[in-house]
Amino acid sequence: MLQTPPDFPAEAVARRGLGALATGHAADLVEFLNEMPPEEAATALARLPADRRVEAFDHPELSRAGALLLALPGPAAARLLVDMSADRAADVLRELPPDRREALLRPLEPEPASSLRALLAYPEGSAGSLMTTEFVSLPATVTVAEALAHLRAVERTRETIYALYLLDPASGALLRTISLRRLITGEGPQKVIDLALPREPVTVAVSTPRAEVARLFARHDLLAVPVVDARRQVLGIVTVDDVLDAVIDKGTEDAQRFGGMESLGQPYLRIGFLEMIRKRAGWLCILLLGEMLTASAMQHFEDQLEKAIVLTLFIPLIMSSGGNSGSQATSLLIRALALGQVRLTDWWRVALRELPTGLTLGAMLGVLGAGRLLAWQWAGFYDYGPHYLLVALTVGVGLVGIVLFGSLAGSMLPFLLKRAGFDPASASAPFVATLVDVTGLVIYFSVATVILGGTLL
C-alpha cells in the first residue's frame, strides 16, 4: 500500500519538474508520474490541483492508479471518483480489493456510488464494462434551441457531446441518434428529430464482447455507440477512445499468449520477479512435457536410427519446417477469428483451403531440402552413402507430409479451442510447434520405413 509521506520535500518535486507539468499536456504528466517511485508519485499527485489530478487519472496509461487513489486523503479520493469519467473510475476501482473499493464508495452514496457499482457488476471485456453513463439524451420532442441550451448546461459533466440520443418521452426508449454537426445546422424552432437521419441507431447490449463492439465501430465509422437494455432504454455509451484502449489491451494479451505464456496484465517493468516467473513457468513446463514425447518418438524408431544414422542429420530441418508451417496457419486463423473474417462454421472451408496450400508449400520445401542434399553429395561436401537418392527422396516426401500436417493442425486448433470455450490465442506458436514436432518425427520415420525399406532399413 502506498503511503503519502507527510514531510515530502517540495524541492524534490520541483527538481523533477512537476511545476511545469502541472500546466502542460496530461499525457506528459502521466508519463512523468509513471517514471517516479510510487511514494513520490503519490505525494506529487496530492500536491496537484484537483482538476489536474482528474486529468491524470482519466488516462488509462497511468500505472498503479488504484494504489495511487488509496494514497490520497479520503476527501480528495472521493472528489476524484466524482469528477472522473464514470467508466474510468470503474476501471480504477476494479484494481482494488473489494473491501478497499467499498470504503471508497461509501462516502459517495447514493450517487455516484450506485452507478459505479452497476458498472463494476458487468463482466470484464463486455460493452457494459466499457461504457460510461455520462452521455447526452433528450426527449424526441425538443427543439434545436432547447437542445443547444441543454448542451451548454451539461457540457462539463458529459464525456462526449458529439452525439445526442433522442428518447421516446413516454417509454424512454431510444428512437434516433443525431450528431452535433447535424444539430447545429438546424433552425432554433425546428424539431431535433426532424433533423435526425431516418434510420435505426446502431446499438449494442451490455453483454456484447468488446471485439464485436470494435467491429461495429470500424464498420460504421462511429465515435460512440449506445448500450441499451431489452426495452431499448439507453444504459450508457461506449466511446471510440475506450474501444481503442480495450483493443490495444486485448492485442497485448494475445501477443503475449502467442509467445507461450500467460498475459502479464501490466507493463513489463512493473511486474515483480516472482510474478514474472509464475506467468512464464507454467507454459514452459507444459511445453517441456510435450517435447518429452519427441524423445519417446525417437526411442520408438531407435532401430531405424541405428541402421540409417544419416536420417538424424535432417531431424532439425524436418521439425522446424513443420513447426513453422503450423505457426503460420495458427497466427492467420487466430487473427481471422478475432476480426470476424471466419466463423466456427467455416472450419471445413479453411481445411479445404489449407490442404492444397500445405501440399504446395510442402512440395516447395521438399524440393529445396532434397536439392540441398543432392548438391552437397555431388559437390563432395558430404557423402550420404550409396543410397543418397533414396535418402533425398525420403527428406523431400517427409517435408511434404510434415508441412501439410502442420498447416492443417495449425489452422484447425484455434477452431477446436474456441469450440471448447477457450481463447484461441492459447494456440500459441510454441504449443503448435511442440505438437507438430512429435507428429513430424512419426511422419518422417514412417516415410523412411516405406522408401528405405530393404536398403538402409
Side-chain angles (χ1 to χ4, degrees):
M1 193 63 58
L2 298 179
Q3 299 294 329
T4 305
D7 299 315
F8 186 82
E11 61 269 20
V13 176
R15 186 172 62 250
R16 283 185 170 268
L18 186 61
L21 289 170
T23 56
H25 291 289
D28 294 333
L29 173 61
V30 169
E31 183 179 357
F32 173 76
L33 292 169
N34 287 342
E35 293 174 354
M36 298 174 74
E39 293 78 10
E40 195 173 329
T43 302
L45 275 169
R47 292 178 178 273
L48 286 172
D51 59 341
R52 195 60 172 162
R53 284 199 295 267
V54 172
E55 290 182 1
F57 272 86
D58 266 334
H59 275 255
E61 294 80 11
L62 180 65
S63 300
R64 311 179 301 261
L68 290 172
L69 181 67
L70 290 176
L72 293 173
R79 180 178 175 183
L80 187 59
L81 288 173
V82 172
D83 293 342
M84 289 169 61
S85 60
D87 54 336
R88 177 57 183 158
D91 289 340
V92 173
L93 289 171
R94 280 192 187 93
E95 299 179 15
L96 305 178
D99 56 333
R100 297 281 183 165
R101 186 187 306 160
E102 282 303 312
L104 288 170
L105 288 173
R106 205 168 295 122
L108 308 181
E109 298 286 4
E111 288 293 345
S114 178
S115 298
L116 290 174
R117 286 196 181 95
L119 291 176
L120 290 167
Y122 295 119
E124 192 170 357
S126 66
S129 69
L130 297 175
M131 74 180 185
T132 179
T133 54
E134 299 164 344
F135 58 93
V136 181
S137 61
L138 293 165
T141 54
V142 299
T143 64
V144 171
E146 291 169 337
L148 290 174
H150 180 72
L151 281 177
R152 295 187 189 100
V154 303
E155 178 268 330
R156 290 185 176 274
T157 63
R158 300 297 185 264
E159 181 164 337
T160 179
I161 61 169
Y162 298 118
L164 291 79
Y165 303 97
L166 305 180
L167 312 179
D168 186 309
S171 65
L174 178 64
L175 297 178
R176 292 289 183 270
T177 299
I178 184 170
S179 67
L180 179 60
R181 172 185 292 181
R182 199 168 183 85
L183 176 67
I184 62 177
T185 63
E187 299 294 333
Q190 195 172 5
K191 295 288 186 182
V192 173
I193 197 166
D194 293 336
L195 295 171
L197 296 175
R199 62 190 180 204
E200 286 292 313
V202 177
T203 62
V204 296
V206 291
S207 59
T208 304
R210 60 184 173 185
E212 179 62 27
V213 176
R215 279 195 289 271
L216 284 175
F217 271 84
R219 180 180 180 183
H220 299 284
D221 293 326
L222 301 173
L223 291 176
V225 64
V227 182
V228 300
D229 60 15
R231 296 179 296 172
R232 290 190 61 80
Q233 292 183 333
V234 184
L235 303 176
I237 63 171
V238 179
T239 55
V240 65
D241 59 322
D242 295 321
V243 169
L244 286 175
D245 293 334
V247 168
I248 290 172
D249 290 342
K250 178 61 176 173
T252 301
E253 292 175 9
D254 289 346
Q256 290 169 350
R257 290 195 177 105
F258 286 162
M261 58 177 290
E262 294 182 39
S263 172
L264 295 181
Q266 55 185 308
Y268 176 82
L269 293 177
R270 299 291 180 190
I271 194 168
F273 174 76
L274 293 179
E275 184 69 5
M276 179 69 79
I277 296 299
R278 188 185 70 81
K279 295 283 188 179
R280 297 172 64 173
W283 269 107
L284 283 177
C285 292
I286 292 172
L287 293 172
L288 176 63
L289 294 174
E291 289 290 359
M292 288 181 180
L293 296 175
T294 304
S296 299
M298 294 185 69
Q299 291 168 7
H300 179 75
F301 294 100
E302 184 178 1
D303 292 341
Q304 287 92 328
L305 287 172
E306 289 180 353
K307 295 175 182 177
I309 196 69
V310 69
L311 294 177
T312 62
L313 300 176
F314 298 94
I315 288 178
L317 179 147
I318 292 290
M319 294 172 65
S320 64
S321 298
N324 290 339
S325 65
S327 298
Q328 281 185 343
T330 296
S331 300
L332 289 172
L333 266 298
I334 288 175
R335 193 58 183 162
L337 283 168
L339 295 177
Q341 297 171 350
V342 297
R343 295 167 294 179
L344 282 176
T345 53
D346 294 325
W347 67 269
W348 62 274
R349 296 176 62 189
V350 173
L352 290 177
R353 187 181 180 87
E354 286 297 316
L355 184 63
T357 301
L359 280 172
T360 303
L361 293 173
M364 292 170 61
L365 297 184
V367 170
L368 288 174
R372 186 268 185 198
L373 186 152
L374 294 175
W376 257 240
Q377 176 73 31
W378 293 335
F381 294 150
Y382 191 87
D383 184 9
Y384 294 102
H387 303 290
Y388 70 90
L389 290 175
L390 292 178
V391 174
L393 181 61
T394 299
V395 171
V397 174
L399 279 170
V400 173
I402 290 161
V403 172
L404 172 61
F405 177 81
S407 297
L408 287 174
S411 61
M412 292 297 103
L413 193 56
F415 286 102
L416 292 174
L417 288 171
K418 190 164 186 177
R419 173 63 71 182
F422 296 104
D423 187 347
S426 300
S428 58
F431 183 74
V432 173
T434 301
L435 173 66
V436 176
D437 283 350
V438 179
T439 53
L441 284 174
V442 175
I443 293 172
Y444 178 47
F445 285 111
S446 298
V447 169
T449 301
V450 173
I451 295 177
L452 297 175
T455 53
L456 288 179
L457 300 179

